[in-house]
Amino acid sequence: MIPMRGIAGVVLVAALAPSAVADPTADVAYAEGQQLYTAGRYIDAAQKFESAYALNQDPAYLFNVAQSYRFGNSCEKAANAYRLFLPTVVGASARAKIQSHIDQMDVCAREQATIAEKPTPPPVLVAEKLASPIEKPTPPPVHHTPWLAITSIGIGVAGVAVGVVGEVKLRSIADDREGLCDHCVWADVEKKATQLDDRGKRWQAVSLTGFVVGGVGIGGGIALWLLSGRSAEQPPVALIPTSGGAMAVGAFHF
C-alpha cells in the first residue's frame, strides 16, 4: 500500500492548500500512521495522523485521517474528518467525490447509532412471597412462565441484530471496494481488493447466519409461547406410541 499522503496527492491533483512548514515530530507521527495503516490497524493509524495534523496543519493529513476512520468503520469520525478536509479541496469533481464520502459516512453513522441505541428489555423481577408457618401451602400456578420460549425469542432477536450489523459491514465494505476503482493508481490496489473481498465473504456469512438463527429463534419462540399456554395438569405436547415409533401431538388455544 502506498503512503496515504501520496494517495491524497494523486487523487486530488493540485487540490490542496499549501502545506505548513514541516515539523519533524509530525513526520514521525505520520510515518507511524503509515505503518499502522499498512498493518490494517486503521483506528490506530487515524489517531497517529491526527497527531501529525495537530503539529503540522497539512490538509493531506486530514484526508489520511478520514480514510483511516472510513476503513476502520468509524463512520461518524470519518465524516467529520472529511468535512474538515472539504474546504481545502478545489475542483468540482474532487469536491463532489469528498462530499460523496461524507454522505456515505453520515448514513453509516446513523445506522450504527440506531443499533447502539436499541433499548435492552428490562429484567423480569420475581417477587418472593414469605409464607407464614400456619399458612397452607400455596398450590402451584396454573400457568408457568414460558422461559424456553422467551430464551428462543431472545436468541432470535440477537441473531437478527447480528444480521443487521453484518449488512452494515457489507455496505461499508462494498463502498470501500467500489472506491478502489477511483484510486487505480495505487500500486497495491489488487491486494487491497482481495482483502476487502475476503472481509466481505466473512461478513456475508455472519449476516446470513444471523438472519437464519434470528428467524428460527423468533419463529420457534412464538410457537413455544403459544404451546406453553396450558395448565400444569395438561402438558402442551404429548407423545403417542405408534408402530413406526412415536407421534408428538400438541394443542393450544388462541
Side-chain angles (χ1 to χ4, degrees), residues 162-207:
V162 170
V164 171
V165 172
E167 286 298 314
V168 172
K169 288 283 188 180
L170 284 172
R171 287 188 191 178
S172 178
I173 292 171
D175 290 340
D176 294 340
R177 184 67 174 80
E178 182 181 1
L180 288 178
C181 295
D182 297 330
H183 308 287
C184 293
V185 294
W186 291 9
D188 63 342
V189 65
E190 183 176 358
K191 177 181 177 182
K192 186 61 184 178
T194 301
Q195 292 175 345
L196 290 173
D197 289 341
D198 291 340
R199 287 176 59 196
K201 292 177 182 178
R202 290 195 296 270
W203 277 108
Q204 186 176 39
V206 170
S207 178

Side-chain angles (χ1 to χ4, degrees), residues 27-252:
D27 290 340
V28 171
Y30 164 67
E32 293 175 351
Q34 282 184 304
Q35 294 176 356
L36 292 168
Y37 186 93
T38 302
R41 296 171 56 185
Y42 299 116
I43 301 301
D44 294 334
Q47 293 170 351
K48 287 295 181 181
F49 290 138
E50 286 177 330
S51 298
Y53 182 72
L55 297 168
N56 177 10
Q57 280 69 49
D58 187 336
Y61 291 147
L62 281 178
F63 183 76
N64 294 342
V65 171
Q67 291 287 88
S68 298
Y69 276 132
R70 180 161 71 95
F71 283 121
N73 203 34
S74 183
C75 300
E76 182 177 1
K77 290 185 177 181
N80 292 337
Y82 279 127
R83 285 193 180 90
L84 291 175
F85 177 67
L86 183 60
T88 68
V89 181
V90 296
S93 61
R95 290 180 62 86
K97 182 62 179 177
I98 297 303
Q99 185 60 54
S100 173
H101 285 327
I102 293 173
D103 295 340
Q104 292 174 2
M105 291 300 97
D106 282 340
V107 171
C108 174
R110 287 194 294 271
E111 292 176 346
Q112 290 178 339
T114 300
I115 295 174
E117 293 174 0
K118 186 174 183 180
T120 303
V124 178
L125 301 178
V126 180
E128 182 178 352
K129 183 178 180 181
L130 299 177
S132 171
I134 61 174
E135 188 176 353
K136 292 183 179 180
T138 303
V142 175
H143 297 284
H144 298 284
T145 302
W147 293 112
L148 184 59
I150 293 174
T151 301
S152 179
I153 293 174
I155 293 174
V157 171
V160 172
V162 170
V164 171
V165 172
E167 286 298 314
V168 172
K169 288 283 188 180
L170 284 172
R171 287 188 191 178
S172 178
I173 292 171
D175 290 340
D176 294 340
R177 184 67 174 80
E178 182 181 1
L180 288 178
C181 295
D182 297 330
H183 308 287
C184 293
V185 294
W186 291 9
D188 63 342
V189 65
E190 183 176 358
K191 177 181 177 182
K192 186 61 184 178
T194 301
Q195 292 175 345
L196 290 173
D197 289 341
D198 291 340
R199 287 176 59 196
K201 292 177 182 178
R202 290 195 296 270
W203 277 108
Q204 186 176 39
V206 170
S207 178
L208 179 61
T209 301
F211 284 127
V212 170
V213 171
V216 172
I218 293 175
I222 292 174
L224 289 172
W225 186 288
L226 295 175
L227 289 173
S228 66
R230 313 285 84 229
S231 65
E233 295 76 25
Q234 180 185 2
V237 178
L239 292 177
I240 301 176
T242 65
S243 59
M247 177 176 62
V249 178
F252 51 90

